[in-house]
Amino acid sequence: MPQSAAMISGIQRMVLYETRARYFLVGSNQAQTKHRVLKIDRTEPKDLVIIDDKHVYNQQEVRELLSRLDLGNRIKISQKGSSGLSRAVSACGIVGFVRFLEGYYIILITKRRKMADIGGHSIYKIEDTTMIYIPNDSVRVTHPDEARYVRIFQTMDLSSNFYFSYSYDLSHSLQYNLTLLQRPYELWSSAPSSTEEEVHTQSKQDSFDIFEDEGLPTQVVYGLQNEPYYKYVWNGKLLEQVKDIVHPDWLMYIIHGFCGQSKLLIYGRPVHITLIARRSSKFAGTRFLKRGANCEGDVANEVETEQIIHDASVMSFSAGSYSSYVQLRGSVPLYWSQDISTMMPKPPIRLDQADPYAHVAALHFDQMLQRFGSPIIILNLVKKREKRKHEKILSDEFYPAVINLNQFLPPDHCIEYMAWDMARCTKSKLCNVLDRLSTIAENVVKRTGFYVNQSDFYCHSLRPDDRWGDVRGHIASSGRLQTGVLRTNCVDCLDRTNTAQFMVGKCALAYQLYALGMIDKPKLQFDTDCVRLFEELYEDHGDTLSLQYGGSQLVHRVKTYRKIAPWTQHSKDIMQTLSRYYSNAFSDADRQDAINLFLQVYQPSESKPHLWELPTDFYLHQSSSMALHQDRRSYTLWWSNGILSYLPVPYDEVPCEDTMKKVKVKRVNRFDESIDTYTEFFRPYEITSFDDTFCIAMTNSAREFMPKTVGVDPSPFTVRKPEETGKSVLGSKSTKEETLLQRKTAASAPPPPSEEAISTSSEDDSEEDRDDEGSVSQRSTPVKLLTESGESSRPQEEVQQQSVKESYGLNLAEFPSEEDLLIYKRFAHLGESQHRVERHEHINLANIISLEPVSCFPVDSIYAVCPPQVDKDSRDVFESHVLTSRGQMRALCREDMLVYREYIKNRYM
């Protein structure tokens, strides 16, 4: 049993009860054995009054409490028809509390859906919420603008890509969460216990222990509850009013971004691939309204993407094999913007403020050093050459800022800057975009390393690979740590960035699978089931992030840069470009107001102008513009104190005094349900069906991608032909009819767009290159399809021969002519004469191959086998089983008494 474990929230189900004077929010754990009650006052018109007695009720006590409340709130005690306590709504979590111009509202999660499972910890997506006004109608003070604020707030659709977990900290990476659990035992034993202990007194029956005379000590486990990383928490401000009042189990933090999980079956062995994207809540907004960075170093469209690989055959964090890799995207950290008042498709870029000492970039990279360590690698994908200077403005300002910051850093921890014009390379016939990205990805993954919670396996020595020795990062006895991060950016950080991140993620996936012993070399090929599954995850990830920031899905995908996109993709790209332009021009302002109101960047007040009256939200996100800071940061020592001494390891993961303050420690019994992941995941108290479980419903490589024909290699690392795959190469969004249509018209379809016709940039340059694309589409000839009746009237053999002749230019069923055979024989004879090698020396096979026995038996041959030695513990276990089958029970040991003691306490006390 691990000496430390993550705490599981004790409140996962809620019921809101209503009286005229109060709301009673009754929360319980999943098994409904422990309950807590929140009392919310409804007589205060504008203040939030919440009472949490910190008492833990059992089921009977809660029923008695609700019965007394129902009886006491009736108008007439003898009147049975009218209830004094009514049930308002059932929920599974609290998003927070918000107030505009009248009283407070409570936002509750009423519907959830499981999206992923990491080590037995479930991750849920919010499906539906409800917003309830707290004050009673009798004390409500109405305001004419309240309804408008409510409409703006509800424009923020909480059912679109908001995620939470009761037991896993989604705001931190897997590396942080697991290294926290692996910290030495001495740190937790010397740490002060949590002050949030229960204040209720137990009865004599609860405290009675029938084993107290046995002298058996209780095994203590340290339950850890970590403070979230508020940069990626989206309801932090909504819970700020009650954070210090209520028990921590009531607090549930949500993230915004993307979460997807798929199952990779390697000859029946399940490997889960999880992709989690965390969108920053700082300087958040829409495409043209949030550019660059604010005065605190927070950049627009900042998203942290983490890919987690784990062997699903072993569930626990302590015994299982887990690996993760983290990347970052974000706008160029400068003061820049684009004016959208001119209604231009591509507004000009302007630098709003001079920053000669790179102050805002220093703040941004200081945050990155603290969270990710070193090296920080920048991949800048903006254009270098342009007829009219547009994107190059950012590169000309960004590169000198990095040079200025590097001169004060130690040489081993300098920021690495790579600039590559991906759009220009796309139009070039001599350059392959994905090959260049593969080279960059290989170097980046080797520089930063990745996280693995296990040391190197023995199979790595049996199948050594030269590239494995070049992988850096922090290597310890317990595994590997990722040190540093790749930061990718273009102008919008959407299409080009997503393709670059996919190639880096694909390279990291190969190393992760190799580290977990799944493949024999850290290399993955395109058109394999594994890469197709991973590509589909990344496309969903890119579409989701693009919708959140740009208002449309991705315009250019991985298939576009591979030059294998189908001919129907061209029209889809045009529609996505038009959708993005419409969203940016007409709906982004309303979405920005909703984000500002939800994140409490703007808090309504009668003494301030209304949100819709503000000409700009610049002053809401730039705190320094409203007040002068007394403590000015140094331009040379621009990093925070203590960071450099621990590099390349990130400061947030170092067990120092500052980081230990963020962790609450609670000493609990090893069988306590607050740390029991097994019961939380499997729920033995519920009747469940295998068909309804999440692992059955998730995307499966064998079911979705592996060919259905018999005799095909079932390995997910085998390269498939397009017609062999179980899912159409046109993408998951194509229907079966469209797939059939594509296959029928593959021979007569027009050629794909030329390399010049492919648009250089998915974000800003789609409109610039539409002329070339339009000319290609106009030259394309219409496709003539055969009707089903026409196909059925022809013999099947004739159709097959025609298709073979169309594909290869000849009929393979006919026997070659004598002239062709003569040419082939002459060619074969020349080949034999050219490659004939005469050998006179004797070849010693011992110098070429070394055959060594690998059996674990001392004697192992076809004549005799010596059985292996069995230790004493294994023999004792076997003998006890044999004696039990004969009706003879062995004497109970100390461990048996401990288990039985906990069973009696949990079952009957």
Side-chain angles (χ1 to χ4, degrees):
M1 185 68 186
Q3 294 171 340
S4 58
M7 296 288 291
I8 302 172
S9 175
I11 298 176
Q12 300 185 21
R13 294 185 179 184
M14 300 178 188
V15 180
L16 185 66
Y17 294 93
E18 175 185 5
T19 65
R20 292 180 60 85
R22 285 190 181 90
Y23 274 123
F24 293 91
L25 189 60
V26 180
S28 67
N29 57 358
Q30 191 66 37
Q32 294 187 339
T33 57
K34 294 182 178 180
H35 302 259
R36 293 180 181 272
V37 179
L38 273 186
K39 303 171 187 176
I40 307 174
D41 192 6
R42 301 187 64 194
T43 59
E44 290 291 338
K46 291 189 177 182
D47 294 331
L48 182 63
V49 180
I50 294 181
I51 300 174
D52 182 10
D53 56 8
K54 305 290 196 308
H55 185 78
V56 179
Y57 300 87
N58 57 33
Q59 201 164 14
Q60 183 179 357
E61 291 174 342
V62 167
R63 288 176 180 173
E64 293 176 355
L65 175 63
L66 295 177
S67 177
R68 290 197 301 269
L69 290 173
D70 182 25
L71 188 63
N73 284 278
R74 288 180 184 174
I75 300 175
K76 296 181 180 179
I77 297 179
S78 60
Q79 188 176 359
K80 295 183 179 179
S82 63
S83 174
L85 183 72
S86 60
R87 179 170 177 155
V89 67
S90 297
C92 49
I94 303 176
V95 175
F97 300 84
V98 65
R99 177 183 176 272
F100 307 121
L101 296 172
E102 296 181 7
Y104 274 89
Y105 297 83
I106 180 173
I107 304 112
L108 298 174
I109 302 172
T110 56
K111 191 177 180 182
R112 68 188 183 190
R113 180 161 63 97
K114 188 172 180 179
M115 296 298 296
D117 165 62
I118 303 175
H121 301 270
S122 300
I123 299 174
Y124 298 96
K125 176 180 179 292
I126 298 177
E127 288 287 296
D128 197 10
T129 57
T130 184
M131 188 172 174
I132 299 174
Y133 188 66
I134 293 177
N136 200 348
D137 292 338
S138 61
V139 299
R140 182 169 187 171
V141 180
T142 60
H143 195 282
D145 296 318
E146 178 76 7
R148 185 168 182 179
Y149 277 113
V150 172
R151 284 197 303 270
I152 294 174
F153 187 87
Q154 291 179 339
T155 305
M156 192 72 183
D157 187 9
L158 288 174
S159 62
S160 61
N161 310 115
F162 283 89
Y163 305 91
F164 68 93
S165 176
Y166 297 112
S167 55
Y168 183 80
D169 187 0
L170 285 173
S171 64
H172 282 106
S173 63
L174 179 78
Q175 174 173 314
Y176 180 91
N177 291 331
L178 291 194
T179 51
L180 186 68
L181 298 179
Q182 293 173 354
R183 287 183 183 176
Y185 165 77
E186 293 79 12
L187 294 177
W188 305 128
S189 59
S190 59
S193 182
S194 173
T195 57
E196 298 288 344
E197 298 292 340
E198 312 300 339
V199 298
H200 68 283
T201 58
Q202 292 183 334
S203 63
K204 292 183 178 181
Q205 182 180 0
D206 293 336
S207 61
F208 176 69
D209 189 357
I210 61 174
F211 296 96
E212 59 185 358
D213 297 331
E214 298 290 337
L216 298 175
T218 301
Q219 296 187 4
V220 174
V221 175
Y222 295 96
L224 307 181
Q225 192 167 29
N226 184 52
E227 183 178 324
Y229 192 67
Y230 285 103
K231 184 175 186 176
Y232 297 115
V233 172
W234 277 65
N235 63 335
K237 291 289 186 180
L238 301 179
L239 293 173
E240 200 171 37
Q241 294 279 343
V242 299
K243 186 172 65 173
D244 299 328
I245 301 173
V246 301
H247 190 273
D249 282 351
W250 291 103
L251 305 177
M252 188 182 67
Y253 298 100
I254 63 175
I255 67 166
H256 185 37
F258 174 80
C259 179
Q261 188 175 59
S262 297
K263 182 191 299 183
L264 179 69
L265 280 178
I266 306 176
Y267 294 105
R269 187 177 186 180
V271 177
H272 287 180
I273 301 178
T274 311
L275 204 62
I276 299 176
R278 309 173 183 91
R279 181 174 291 279
S280 172
S281 61
K282 308 293 185 183
F283 203 52
T286 53
R287 184 185 179 197
F288 286 129
L289 297 178
K290 285 292 164 285
R291 294 297 210 187
N294 64 1
C295 61
E296 297 176 357
D298 303 308
V299 298
N301 195 22
E302 182 174 3
V303 182
E304 178 183 301
T305 300
E306 179 182 20
Q307 60 187 55
I308 300 173
I309 317 297
H310 75 275
D311 185 356
S313 57
V314 181
M315 188 183 69
S316 70
F317 279 151
S318 57
S321 299
Y322 292 82
S323 176
S324 72
Y325 185 75
V326 177
Q327 301 181 66
L328 191 72
R329 70 171 70 182
S331 187
V332 178
L334 303 170
Y335 290 116
W336 66 280
S337 63
Q338 289 178 276
D339 185 14
I340 60 173
S341 60
T342 56
M343 295 291 291
M344 295 175 59
K346 194 166 64 171
I349 293 175
R350 67 183 184 191
L351 295 174
D352 298 330
Q353 184 176 335
D355 192 9
Y357 300 105
H359 176 65
V360 64
L363 292 172
H364 177 66
F365 290 119
D366 181 34
Q367 295 177 10
M368 293 183 63
L369 285 175
Q370 187 166 346
R371 182 167 173 84
F372 303 109
S374 68
I376 294 174
I377 304 175
I378 300 170
L379 179 58
N380 189 8
L381 301 176
V382 303
K383 290 183 178 181
K384 292 182 179 179
R385 295 184 184 178
E386 294 173 302
K387 295 179 181 178
R388 179 172 56 88
K389 201 171 182 181
H390 181 66
E391 296 184 13
K392 194 173 184 295
I393 297 174
L394 300 178
S395 295
D396 292 345
E397 194 76 15
F398 191 20
Y399 181 64
V402 175
I403 296 298
N404 179 67
L405 297 178
N406 275 340
Q407 63 182 337
F408 307 112
L409 278 174
D412 295 339
H413 307 303
C414 281
I415 302 170
E416 300 183 18
Y417 181 89
M418 291 188 297
W420 179 50
D421 192 343
M422 185 173 172
R424 186 175 183 83
C425 183
T426 303
K427 293 195 293 185
S428 173
K429 293 183 178 180
L430 303 177
C431 181
N432 189 311
V433 176
L434 298 188
D435 286 349
R436 179 65 188 273
L437 285 175
S438 297
T439 305
I440 294 174
E442 189 81 20
N443 295 330
V444 166
V445 173
K446 287 180 179 179
R447 290 281 289 115
T448 62
F450 53 92
Y451 173 72
V452 184
N453 72 330
Q454 303 282 353
S455 57
D456 290 354
F457 292 148
Y458 181 64
C459 63
H460 296 152
S461 59
L462 294 178
R463 299 189 297 267
D465 192 277
D466 296 337
R467 289 169 292 188
W468 180 246
D470 298 334
V471 179
R472 301 186 191 177
H474 182 70
I475 303 175
S477 58
S478 59
R480 293 172 175 264
L481 294 181
Q482 177 182 348
T483 57
V485 71
L486 172 67
R487 185 194 190 277
T488 311
N489 73 269
C490 45
V491 177
D492 290 330
C493 305
L494 295 180
D495 295 19
R496 284 177 283 182
T497 299
N498 198 71
T499 302
Q501 284 197 338
F502 165 74
M503 293 302 297
V504 176
K506 171 178 168 288
C507 178
L509 175 65
Y511 279 97
Q512 288 175 289
L513 291 173
Y514 180 80
L516 299 181
M518 306 294 179
I519 53 179
D520 57 352
K521 56 183 179 179
K523 188 71 175 177
L524 291 176
Q525 300 291 336
F526 275 106
D527 298 322
T528 59
D529 298 345
C530 175
V531 175
R532 281 188 178 127
L533 179 143
F534 189 65
E535 182 181 343
E536 185 179 83
L537 263 181
Y538 247 97
E539 284 202 356
D540 292 343
H541 158 267
D543 285 339
T544 303
L545 298 181
S546 182
L547 277 169
Q548 293 167 7
Y549 183 66
S552 73
Q553 294 182 349
L554 292 173
V555 176
H556 293 159
R557 305 171 183 274
V558 178
K559 292 182 179 63
T560 308
Y561 294 102
R562 289 186 67 192
K563 315 291 176 66
I564 64 169
W567 56 273
T568 55
Q569 188 65 39
H570 180 71
S571 59
K572 292 180 181 177
D573 291 349
I574 297 176
M575 292 304 298
Q576 295 298 339
T577 303
L578 294 175
S579 173
R580 186 174 292 182
Y581 173 70
Y582 175 84
S583 175
N584 300 154
F586 299 105
S587 63
D588 277 4
D590 295 334
R591 290 172 55 211
Q592 184 67 57
D593 288 343
I595 292 173
N596 291 338
L597 198 59
F598 182 82
L599 294 175
Q600 297 288 281
V601 176
Y602 173 84
Q603 296 180 356
S605 173
E606 295 182 359
S607 60
K608 295 193 300 186
H610 292 301
L611 181 60
W612 51 87
E613 295 176 352
L614 297 176
T616 176
D617 64 348
F618 175 84
Y619 303 101
L620 302 178
H621 294 270
Q622 307 282 350
S623 59
S624 64
S625 61
M626 305 301 291
L628 292 176
H629 291 284
Q630 300 297 329
D631 51 339
R632 183 179 295 274
R633 290 175 65 98
S634 172
Y635 290 139
T636 56
L637 304 176
W638 51 266
W639 52 86
S640 299
N641 293 329
I643 290 181
L644 286 186
S645 58
Y646 294 105
L647 289 180
V649 178
Y651 181 77
D652 287 349
E653 297 173 12
V654 175
C656 61
E657 184 178 356
D658 291 340
T659 57
M660 294 291 286
K661 291 178 181 178
K662 301 178 181 179
V663 183
K664 294 180 180 179
V665 185
K666 184 179 180 182
R667 296 178 176 87
V668 295
N669 191 292
R670 60 173 292 189
F671 298 102
D672 193 276
E673 64 179 15
S674 62
I675 59 167
D676 190 359
T677 311
Y678 177 87
T679 304
E680 172 70 18
F681 180 76
F682 290 103
R683 299 179 184 177
Y685 44 81
E686 291 183 0
I687 299 177
T688 55
S689 170
F690 281 118
D691 294 336
D692 298 333
T693 54
F694 171 72
C695 60
I696 298 295
M698 77 164 64
T699 303
N700 189 316
S701 64
R703 182 175 64 237
E704 306 288 341
F705 297 94
M706 196 175 75
K708 304 300 185 290
T709 55
V710 181
V712 178
D713 185 4
S715 171
F717 309 112
T718 302
V719 178
R720 315 277 190 202
K721 296 179 181 178
E723 62 272 10
E724 286 183 352
T725 180
K727 181 172 285 193
S728 171
V729 294
L730 307 179
S732 59
K733 299 174 180 59
S734 300
T735 60
K736 292 182 179 179
E737 292 78 7
E738 186 177 356
T739 305
L740 184 62
L741 179 68
Q742 290 291 334
R743 291 181 180 178
K744 287 182 179 179
T745 60
S748 57
S754 62
E755 293 176 344
E756 292 88 0
I758 296 180
S759 175
T760 59
S761 170
S762 56
E763 306 94 355
D764 292 318
D765 305 305
S766 302
E767 300 81 6
E768 186 177 291
D769 299 322
R770 289 300 173 196
D771 297 335
D772 296 338
E773 295 183 352
S775 60
V776 172
S777 62
Q778 291 171 4
R779 291 192 299 267
S780 301
T781 57
V783 181
K784 297 182 180 180
L785 300 179
L786 295 175
T787 60
E788 295 182 1
S789 61
E791 287 182 348
S792 60
S793 63
R794 295 186 179 185
Q796 185 177 2
E797 294 80 2
E798 184 179 352
V799 175
Q800 289 180 355
Q801 290 181 5
Q802 182 178 1
S803 62
V804 170
K805 191 170 183 178
E806 287 178 355
S807 302
Y808 297 99
L810 73 161
N811 191 355
L812 298 180
E814 298 179 357
F815 194 76
S817 63
E818 292 185 2
E819 184 179 357
D820 294 337
L821 285 175
L822 185 61
I823 294 175
Y824 176 73
K825 288 179 181 178
R826 189 177 303 166
F827 173 77
H829 179 71
L830 289 174
E832 290 177 356
S833 303
Q834 181 71 23
H835 299 287
R836 183 177 297 169
V837 179
E838 296 183 1
R839 297 183 181 273
H840 301 285
E841 69 277 6
H842 177 70
I843 300 176
N844 187 8
L845 292 178
N847 297 330
I848 301 176
I849 184 171
S850 178
L851 301 176
E852 297 182 358
V854 295
S855 175
C856 62
F857 304 124
V859 179
D860 188 4
S861 67
I862 60 173
Y863 305 105
V865 174
C866 179
Q869 298 295 325
V870 182
D871 56 0
K872 184 177 182 301
D873 294 337
S874 300
R875 288 198 301 269
D876 291 341
V877 171
F878 180 72
E879 289 174 0
S880 64
H881 279 283
V882 174
L883 291 176
T884 304
S885 65
R886 296 175 180 175
Q888 303 176 17
M889 300 296 295
R890 63 177 178 85
L892 296 178
C893 63
R894 177 174 175 273
E895 185 70 20
D896 298 330
M897 294 296 293
L898 277 173
V899 174
Y900 183 64
R901 170 188 181 184
E902 297 298 332
Y903 169 76
I904 293 297
K905 288 178 63 176
N906 294 334
R907 180 67 179 84
Y908 298 104
M909 296 186 180

